Amino acid sequence: MSEHTYKIIELVGSSTNSSDEAINNAIERANKTLRNMDWFEVVETRGHLQDGKVAHFQVKIKVGIRLDD
Amino acid sequence: MSEHTYKIIELVGSSTNSSDEAINNAIERANKTLRNMDWFEVVETRGHLQDGKVAHFQVKIKVGIRLDD
Amino acid sequence: MSEHTYKIIELVGSSTNSSDEAINNAIERANKTLRNMDWFEVVETRGHLQDGKVAHFQVKIKVGIRLDD
Amino acid sequence: MSEHTYKIIELVGSSTNSSDEAINNAIERANKTLRNMDWFEVVETRGHLQDGKVAHFQVKIKVGIRLDD
Amino acid sequence: MSEHTYKIIELVGSSTNSSDEAINNAIERANKTLRNMDWFEVVETRGHLQDGKVAHFQVKIKVGIRLDD
Amino acid sequence: MSEHTYKIIELVGSSTNSSDEAINNAIERANKTLRNMDWFEVVETRGHLQDGKVAHFQVKIKVGIRLDD
Amino acid sequence: MSEHTYKIIELVGSSTNSSDEAINNAIERANKTLRNMDWFEVVETRGHLQDGKVAHFQVKIKVGIRLDD
Amino acid sequence: MSEHTYKIIELVGSSTNSSDEAINNAIERANKTLRNMDWFEVVETRGHLQDGKVAHFQVKIKVGIRLDD
Amino acid sequence: MSEHTYKIIELVGSSTNSSDEAINNAIERANKTLRNMDWFEVVETRGHLQDGKVAHFQVKIKVGIRLDD
Amino acid sequence: MSEHTYKIIELVGSSTNSSDEAINNAIERANKTLRNMDWFEVVETRGHLQDGKVAHFQVKIKVGIRLDD
Amino acid sequence: MSEHTYKIIELVGSSTNSSDEAINNAIERANKTLRNMDWFEVVETRGHLQDGKVAHFQVKIKVGIRLDD
Amino acid sequence: MSEHTYKIIELVGSSTNSSDEAINNAIERANKTLRNMDWFEVVETRGHLQDGKVAHFQVKIKVGIRLDD
């Protein structure tokens, strides 16, 4: 974070592989329509279970977006 | 929540009748311009008082919106 | 909340009917001895159980009271 | 709560009608197999949305169960 | 907050002078593209240090925006 | 805090100038009717916005009051 | 807590002996001017140190007071 | 905590003497039917008041139970 | 989460490899005696250190279990 | 706390006797190498269980240390 | 924060003038013995009262210190 | 945690690969100058974004260090 103004949005990403990949998937999906994403913070990690295994991880993140001056 | 990416927005709805209706009013107002709203979480319940009675309930909620792939 | 000073008090109201009514009951009881109550915030919702049913709801609220200048 | 020992369990109840009924539904379902439930505390209120309306409320509660001496 | 519906957004403002000015800078930047901003709440105050001094304050705020009916 | 008993009250002060002044205004208003106020803690900082600017800061504080023995 | 309305106050008690005694000291001091105190909750435990030892414990509690109907 | 899997349960113990004894009473009561209890964490300390004194302490704890492989 | 009632249990799983695997290990152990596990939430991530390295990760999770009607 | 600058450190003390003694043990151990310790705050109380009894209490505290000018 | 390792310390600074100056005073005092301080976060704002006025502000901050590789 | 006294320090580690590796990197860096590190707890997970991808993970941890008697 530098001397700019930032907008913060909240996303939930998911992955069948790992909690880190769930973060990456949320960022990559958001990157289709947003630019200037600068940092993220993890808010919550959860997921679904099926047949006694983790079916997919879901990670809720906040993302800081730098606003143009 | 399934394997999609979700965006989370935060709303405050109000109602003169009940805290549940305040949630519904926020959702119905948001439904005018948003689609694919999937779930909500209550963040805070408060309200205004007038003449020693609850004048209206105000409920702050987070709403999860499913993003198209 | 406007440009006044407020005192905040904490109350627990109860009702055999609903959590919203428990808020109203706390406000109405406080209204017997206090004036200028302006807003409330819910702190906690709990209650007692009897014979496998909710016997009464108890809601802890904070109430903002506008102080005269 | 008196001088007994209590066990606390956590439940999620749901209702298409109201958040208070979601609490009652969780208690009634638990009452089929548990006795001596004494009090509850609301942990979280959330729910699902469908067609721009609340489809059902889901309330997470903790329930205190009095253990026999 | 009156009987309207509000949308809440989250911003980070910064200032080399003071934490209050960081709030003002975030509001003024947001005012370029948003109208009907009604209230703010401080979420977090932080900042960068340089040469053993505060280089700038960064304040994260939530802003309530009144939605038209 | 020394070996006395303290009562804690909660106040909201406001100021059009700064968040620090909002604290001072709450203390000065309370000082009209209370004595032996010893310390304060900030609970929440918020405020109202008008025309894209901070109209006034509102700071919620807890104040410790030393009780006579 | 039964079907009454309660007012909650916040106190800090202190003791050179133990944290439990600090709670008791706060209650006994409050009992000089208040009646119908029904329950307490510990909010915070802290204290002062002198010569590398605990000089006194300070315990912040909330106390529920049953209001007459 | 070693490399095992643990189940965590939540208990409330009470004692007319001290908050530490309330923890011990909860553990001893649970020990009648459970084995392999490994650690505890205090969640909340509260209690009842009678005649301006602490009638009994109630301590809510989480207890970690080691599951056999 | 659908319109069912859920019971929530709390587990700690461990793994010498990764925090995600610690979650999976807890779920697989619980699956030996429980059925209808639907979702999990991460409560806490910690672990033991040995010789300046992570010896194993320990992840505390809550698990939602769907109760039969 | 007066007009000085303080450094805050975090300690875990333990005792087989009581939670208060665990605080004292942490302070006495720290006193071997540190001076000017002024106050403490309890962060967490936990402990180990053995044979269905509390084997020892562990209390995590923050300690404020006055820095020389 | 870049790709380095950081150590975080906790300080309390004070000022008779403002809460922002209390942060600066803590940083300047720490700068006498520490280098590579990179950022701060406010943890708590409190202070002492005297004669119905704020005698001094005390701000607890965390400070991130970049470790050399 | 056994019957020793522990000091807790707070670190931020980073990694371009994974959040688990960020924990390991912090521990390995600290291990150059510290001994007797016993356990860690994750406080916060965040990171920087670049070109719509996670550039590196940053994990804030607390580390418990066993003090010699």
Side-chain angles (χ1 to χ4, degrees):
Chain A
M1 292 192 289
S2 68
E3 284 185 42
H4 302 280
T5 305
Y6 296 84
K7 186 177 181 206
I8 295 177
I9 60 167
E10 204 165 0
L11 299 172
V12 178
S14 69
S15 160
T16 55
N17 291 323
S18 73
S19 53
D20 285 352
E21 195 182 87
I23 296 171
N24 268 308
N25 288 350
I27 299 297
E28 286 181 17
R29 174 61 186 78
N31 192 43
K32 289 183 185 174
T33 55
L34 294 167
R35 59 201 179 89
N36 293 334
M37 294 189 294
D38 248 43
W39 89 91
F40 73 95
E41 310 164 35
V42 172
V43 175
E44 189 185 66
T45 302
R46 53 194 299 159
H48 283 172
L49 305 171
Q50 220 160 15
D51 306 325
K53 286 186 184 152
V54 174
H56 56 263
F57 294 89
Q58 287 176 315
V59 184
K60 194 192 284 184
I61 57 173
K62 295 203 176 194
V63 178
I65 298 170
R66 196 178 58 252
L67 299 181
D68 297 328
D69 294 324
Chain B
M1 292 196 287
S2 67
E3 283 185 44
H4 302 280
T5 306
Y6 295 84
K7 183 172 183 211
I8 294 175
I9 60 166
E10 204 165 359
L11 300 171
V12 178
S14 69
S15 160
T16 54
N17 292 321
S18 74
S19 53
D20 286 352
E21 195 182 87
I23 296 171
N24 268 308
N25 288 351
I27 298 299
E28 285 180 17
R29 174 62 186 79
N31 193 43
K32 290 182 184 175
T33 56
L34 294 167
R35 59 201 179 90
N36 292 334
M37 294 189 293
D38 248 43
W39 88 90
F40 72 95
E41 308 164 37
V42 172
V43 175
E44 189 184 63
T45 300
R46 52 193 299 159
H48 283 172
L49 303 171
Q50 221 161 12
D51 305 325
K53 288 188 183 149
V54 175
H56 56 262
F57 294 90
Q58 288 178 314
V59 183
K60 194 192 281 180
I61 58 174
K62 295 203 175 194
V63 178
I65 297 171
R66 198 179 55 252
L67 299 180
D68 298 326
D69 293 326
Chain C
M1 294 196 285
S2 67
E3 284 184 44
H4 302 279
T5 305
Y6 295 84
K7 186 175 182 208
I8 294 176
I9 61 168
E10 203 165 358
L11 300 172
V12 179
S14 68
S15 161
T16 54
N17 291 322
S18 75
S19 53
D20 285 352
E21 194 182 87
I23 296 170
N24 268 308
N25 288 351
I27 298 299
E28 285 182 16
R29 175 61 186 81
N31 193 43
K32 290 182 185 176
T33 56
L34 294 167
R35 57 198 181 90
N36 293 334
M37 294 189 294
D38 249 44
W39 87 92
F40 73 95
E41 307 165 36
V42 172
V43 175
E44 190 184 64
T45 301
R46 51 194 300 160
H48 283 173
L49 304 171
Q50 221 159 14
D51 306 325
K53 288 186 184 152
V54 175
H56 56 264
F57 294 90
Q58 287 178 314
V59 183
K60 194 192 283 181
I61 57 173
K62 297 204 175 194
V63 177
I65 298 171
R66 195 180 56 252
L67 300 180
D68 297 328
D69 293 324
Chain D
M1 291 192 288
S2 67
E3 284 184 43
H4 301 280
T5 305
Y6 295 83
K7 185 175 184 209
I8 294 176
I9 61 167
E10 204 165 0
L11 300 171
V12 178
S14 68
S15 160
T16 54
N17 291 321
S18 73
S19 54
D20 284 353
E21 194 181 88
I23 296 170
N24 268 308
N25 288 351
I27 298 299
E28 286 181 17
R29 174 61 186 80
N31 192 43
K32 290 182 183 174
T33 55
L34 295 167
R35 61 201 177 87
N36 293 333
M37 294 189 294
D38 248 44
W39 88 90
F40 73 94
E41 307 165 36
V42 172
V43 175
E44 189 184 65
T45 301
R46 52 192 300 160
H48 283 172
L49 304 172
Q50 221 160 14
D51 306 327
K53 288 187 184 151
V54 175
H56 55 265
F57 294 89
Q58 288 178 313
V59 183
K60 193 192 284 182
I61 57 174
K62 297 203 174 195
V63 177
I65 298 171
R66 196 179 56 251
L67 299 181
D68 298 328
D69 291 323
Chain E
M1 290 194 290
S2 67
E3 284 184 43
H4 301 280
T5 305
Y6 295 84
K7 183 173 183 208
I8 294 176
I9 61 167
E10 205 165 359
L11 299 172
V12 178
S14 68
S15 161
T16 55
N17 291 321
S18 73
S19 53
D20 285 352
E21 194 181 89
I23 295 170
N24 269 309
N25 288 351
I27 298 299
E28 284 180 19
R29 174 62 186 80
N31 193 43
K32 288 184 185 172
T33 55
L34 293 167
R35 60 199 178 91
N36 293 333
M37 294 189 294
D38 249 45
W39 88 91
F40 73 94
E41 309 165 37
V42 172
V43 175
E44 190 185 64
T45 300
R46 52 193 300 158
H48 283 173
L49 305 171
Q50 220 160 15
D51 306 325
K53 288 187 185 150
V54 175
H56 55 264
F57 294 91
Q58 287 176 314
V59 184
K60 194 192 285 182
I61 57 173
K62 295 203 176 192
V63 177
I65 297 172
R66 196 178 58 252
L67 299 181
D68 296 327
D69 294 324
Chain F
M1 294 193 288
S2 69
E3 284 183 43
H4 302 280
T5 305
Y6 295 84
K7 184 172 183 209
I8 295 176
I9 59 166
E10 204 165 1
L11 300 171
V12 179
S14 69
S15 160
T16 54
N17 291 321
S18 74
S19 53
D20 285 354
E21 195 182 86
I23 297 170
N24 269 309
N25 288 351
I27 299 299
E28 286 181 17
R29 174 63 186 78
N31 193 43
K32 290 183 185 174
T33 55
L34 294 166
R35 58 199 181 88
N36 293 332
M37 295 188 293
D38 250 44
W39 89 92
F40 73 94
E41 309 163 36
V42 172
V43 176
E44 189 183 65
T45 301
R46 52 194 299 159
H48 284 173
L49 304 172
Q50 221 159 14
D51 306 324
K53 288 189 183 147
V54 175
H56 55 266
F57 294 90
Q58 288 177 313
V59 184
K60 194 191 283 183
I61 57 174
K62 295 202 177 197
V63 177
I65 298 170
R66 196 179 58 252
L67 299 180
D68 297 327
D69 293 325
Chain G
M1 293 193 287
S2 67
E3 284 184 44
H4 302 279
T5 304
Y6 295 84
K7 185 175 182 208
I8 295 175
I9 61 167
E10 205 164 359
L11 300 171
V12 178
S14 69
S15 161
T16 55
N17 292 321
S18 73
S19 53
D20 285 353
E21 195 182 87
I23 296 170
N24 268 307
N25 288 351
I27 298 298
E28 286 181 16
R29 175 60 187 79
N31 192 43
K32 289 182 186 175
T33 55
L34 294 167
R35 59 199 180 91
N36 294 334
M37 293 189 294
D38 249 45
W39 89 92
F40 73 95
E41 309 165 35
V42 172
V43 175
E44 190 184 63
T45 300
R46 52 194 299 159
H48 283 172
L49 305 171
Q50 219 159 17
D51 306 325
K53 285 183 186 154
V54 175
H56 55 264
F57 294 90
Q58 288 177 313
V59 183
K60 192 191 285 181
I61 57 174
K62 295 203 176 195
V63 177
I65 298 171
R66 197 179 56 253
L67 299 181
D68 298 327
D69 293 325
Chain H
M1 293 193 287
S2 68
E3 284 185 46
H4 301 280
T5 305
Y6 296 84
K7 185 176 182 208
I8 294 176
I9 60 167
E10 203 164 1
L11 299 171
V12 179
S14 68
S15 160
T16 54
N17 291 321
S18 74
S19 53
D20 284 353
E21 195 181 88
I23 296 171
N24 268 308
N25 288 351
I27 299 299
E28 286 182 17
R29 174 62 187 80
N31 193 43
K32 290 182 182 174
T33 55
L34 294 168
R35 59 202 181 88
N36 294 333
M37 294 188 294
D38 249 44
W39 89 92
F40 73 95
E41 309 164 36
V42 172
V43 176
E44 188 184 66
T45 301
R46 52 193 299 158
H48 283 172
L49 304 172
Q50 221 159 14
D51 306 325
K53 287 185 184 153
V54 175
H56 55 264
F57 294 90
Q58 288 177 314
V59 183
K60 193 191 284 182
I61 57 174
K62 296 204 176 194
V63 177
I65 298 170
R66 197 180 55 252
L67 299 180
D68 298 327
D69 293 326
Chain I
M1 293 194 286
S2 67
E3 284 184 43
H4 301 280
T5 304
Y6 295 83
K7 185 176 182 208
I8 294 176
I9 61 167
E10 204 164 359
L11 300 171
V12 178
S14 68
S15 160
T16 55
N17 292 322
S18 74
S19 54
D20 284 353
E21 194 182 88
I23 296 170
N24 268 308
N25 288 351
I27 298 298
E28 285 181 17
R29 174 62 186 78
N31 193 44
K32 290 182 184 173
T33 55
L34 293 167
R35 59 198 180 88
N36 293 334
M37 294 189 294
D38 247 44
W39 89 92
F40 73 95
E41 308 164 35
V42 172
V43 175
E44 190 185 64
T45 300
R46 51 194 299 160
H48 284 173
L49 304 172
Q50 221 160 16
D51 306 325
K53 286 185 185 154
V54 174
H56 55 263
F57 294 91
Q58 288 176 314
V59 183
K60 193 192 285 181
I61 57 173
K62 295 202 175 194
V63 177
I65 297 171
R66 197 178 57 250
L67 300 181
D68 298 328
D69 294 324
Chain J
M1 292 193 288
S2 67
E3 284 186 44
H4 301 279
T5 305
Y6 296 84
K7 185 176 182 209
I8 294 176
I9 61 167
E10 204 165 0
L11 300 171
V12 178
S14 68
S15 161
T16 55
N17 291 323
S18 73
S19 53
D20 284 352
E21 196 182 87
I23 296 170
N24 268 308
N25 288 350
I27 298 298
E28 285 180 19
R29 174 62 187 79
N31 193 43
K32 289 183 184 173
T33 55
L34 293 168
R35 59 200 178 89
N36 293 334
M37 295 189 293
D38 249 44
W39 88 91
F40 72 94
E41 308 164 36
V42 172
V43 176
E44 188 184 67
T45 300
R46 51 193 301 160
H48 284 172
L49 305 171
Q50 220 160 14
D51 305 325
K53 287 187 185 150
V54 175
H56 56 264
F57 294 90
Q58 287 177 315
V59 184
K60 193 190 285 180
I61 57 173
K62 296 204 173 192
V63 177
I65 298 170
R66 196 179 55 252
L67 299 181
D68 297 327
D69 293 327
Chain K
M1 293 195 286
S2 69
E3 283 185 44
H4 302 279
T5 305
Y6 296 83
K7 184 172 184 213
I8 294 175
I9 61 167
E10 205 165 358
L11 300 171
V12 179
S14 68
S15 161
T16 55
N17 291 322
S18 74
S19 53
D20 285 352
E21 195 182 87
I23 296 170
N24 268 309
N25 288 351
I27 298 300
E28 285 180 19
R29 175 61 187 80
N31 193 43
K32 290 183 184 174
T33 56
L34 294 167
R35 58 198 181 92
N36 293 334
M37 295 188 293
D38 249 44
W39 89 90
F40 73 95
E41 308 163 35
V42 172
V43 175
E44 189 184 64
T45 301
R46 52 193 300 159
H48 283 172
L49 304 172
Q50 221 159 14
D51 306 324
K53 288 188 183 149
V54 175
H56 56 265
F57 295 90
Q58 287 178 313
V59 184
K60 193 191 283 180
I61 57 173
K62 297 204 173 191
V63 177
I65 298 170
R66 197 179 55 251
L67 300 180
D68 296 329
D69 293 325
Chain L
M1 293 194 288
S2 68
E3 285 185 43
H4 301 280
T5 304
Y6 296 83
K7 183 171 183 212
I8 294 176
I9 60 167
E10 204 164 359
L11 300 171
V12 178
S14 68
S15 161
T16 54
N17 291 322
S18 74
S19 53
D20 284 353
E21 195 182 87
I23 296 170
N24 268 310
N25 288 351
I27 298 298
E28 285 180 18
R29 175 61 187 79
N31 193 43
K32 290 182 183 173
T33 55
L34 294 167
R35 59 199 179 90
N36 293 334
M37 294 189 293
D38 248 45
W39 88 91
F40 73 96
E41 310 162 35
V42 173
V43 175
E44 190 184 65
T45 301
R46 52 194 298 159
H48 283 173
L49 304 172
Q50 221 160 14
D51 306 325
K53 288 186 183 151
V54 175
H56 54 265
F57 294 90
Q58 288 177 313
V59 183
K60 193 191 285 181
I61 57 174
K62 296 202 175 194
V63 177
I65 298 170
R66 197 178 57 251
L67 299 181
D68 297 328
D69 294 325

